[in-house]
Every structure is written in structure tokens, then in C-alpha cells.
Amino acid sequence: KILSVLLLSLLFLQAHAAKVDTGDPELDAIFETLVGTNFKSKEESLKRLAETDHPKRFEMIQGVFDGSLRLNKKSKRLVWAEQQDKKYVAVDVLTGESLGEFSKRKLKKLSINNQLRGVINAILAARDLQGDDPALRLQAVETMLANPAPEHAGILEPLIKKEPDEKVRGAM
């Protein structure tokens, strides 16, 4: 009987596992993985998020990096969380709606490791490489060079010939 109760409890917990409710099934799937614990899956989800055409995708990726993007555990909504004294003021990521103050326990931080920090830096640098500002492009190249990865060559190589700024091209 005890085993039956434990199995039923596990099934109930799985059925009510942490889901994310953004109103967008693609974002829900991405962030359900980012809320999880598998860092390889999180890496794939971050890359998928960067490839979407969502207007806030890079802002959300930056929020994962700096810890300002969190999940409201009760409502399952993604929020921008800003600490004020011992509470966090939360604003819905997608609507901008103010959701009030919460304790730290009510908001789940999306955990990342050093490898994911490198992935996020590469994603944001790749975005900046497409910008109009040469100083921003140079900073993006320097960020990539500070944390070299094999995929950086594939990002930089096609841009070298198109780069109009000599200093940026030289850094590439």
C-alpha cells in the first residue's frame, strides 16, 4: 500500500510539474526547459530562443544571464524581478503589467552554469555583430575572443568580408 501511495504521489507531482504560461506555446516549451535542471537542454533552449523572431528574445536572454528574469511559482508567468529591500518587485515580461511585491521564495531564478554563461555571451555578441555601431561590433568580437569556442569561427567568418570598419575587421 505504501508503494502504491508513493507511486500515485509521484504521478500527481509530475502532472502538476512546473509549467510556464506565457501565452505562446513556443516560448512555453523553451522556458519549461530553462526552468529545469538539465544544462545541455537549457543550452539548446537558449539557442532556440535566440532564433525566434520574438521582439524581446535578447532582452530575455540577458535576463537569464543577470538573474533578473524569473518565474513566478504560483502564476507560472515570467517576470522581471528587481530587489527592493527584502522584497522583489515583479513586472510581467511580456505585458509589462506590474504584479506587485514578492518574497524571494515566490520567484524562481533560472539557474545557469559557466558553460551557459559562455553560450549567452556568444549569443549576445553575435547579435551585436549585426549592429550599426562599429564600437559595439568591436566589443562583440572582443567578447567572443575572450571566451573562444569552435562555433565562433562560423559566426565571424562570413562577416569578415562584409565588415566596413578596418579595426573591427582586423579583430575578427
Side-chain angles (χ1 to χ4, degrees):
K1 280 194 164 195
I2 293 174
L3 185 59
S4 297
V5 170
L6 284 173
L7 288 173
L8 285 173
S9 297
L10 283 173
L11 287 173
F12 177 78
L13 286 174
Q14 283 183 336
H16 292 85
K19 300 272 185 196
V20 177
D21 184 19
T22 64
D24 179 335
E26 183 179 21
L27 282 181
D28 289 349
I30 289 169
F31 279 99
E32 283 175 20
T33 303
L34 289 173
V35 169
T37 58
N38 183 316
F39 288 103
K40 187 65 183 165
S41 296
K42 287 182 180 202
E43 180 178 339
E44 294 165 9
S45 289
L46 284 166
K47 289 176 180 177
R48 279 187 21 229
L49 178 58
E51 292 169 357
T52 69
D53 59 356
H54 195 281
K56 294 186 178 184
R57 67 190 179 274
F58 294 115
E59 188 178 354
M60 289 187 279
I61 291 169
Q62 180 66 48
V64 171
F65 183 81
D66 64 28
S68 63
L69 181 66
R70 299 193 179 205
L71 178 70
N72 180 314
K73 292 178 183 178
K74 185 173 183 179
S75 71
K76 308 302 181 198
R77 290 166 76 177
L78 293 172
V79 300
W80 297 120
E82 182 180 326
Q83 188 171 4
Q84 292 183 355
D85 297 321
K86 293 185 179 185
K87 295 279 186 177
Y88 285 82
V89 175
V91 175
D92 186 279
V93 167
L94 300 176
T95 66
E97 175 188 354
S98 178
L99 301 173
E101 291 185 344
F102 295 87
S103 70
K104 185 177 181 177
R105 294 176 153 220
K106 303 289 181 187
L107 303 174
K108 179 173 177 51
K109 189 174 179 180
L110 309 180
S111 63
I112 59 173
N113 60 14
N114 286 339
Q115 182 173 343
L116 287 178
R117 284 182 188 87
V119 168
I120 291 171
N121 279 331
I123 289 169
L124 296 175
R127 171 208 56 194
D128 293 344
L129 286 170
Q130 306 295 325
D132 293 331
D133 182 1
L136 188 61
R137 293 194 307 272
L138 181 60
Q139 182 180 7
V141 172
E142 290 170 349
T143 298
M144 292 177 120
L145 292 175
N147 299 299
E151 61 266 18
H152 292 172
I155 294 169
L156 292 173
E157 203 169 319
L159 298 174
I160 292 173
K161 293 177 184 170
K162 297 177 188 176
E163 178 55 51
D165 188 274
E166 187 177 316
K167 191 171 183 180
V168 176
R169 193 172 46 253
M172 289 176 162

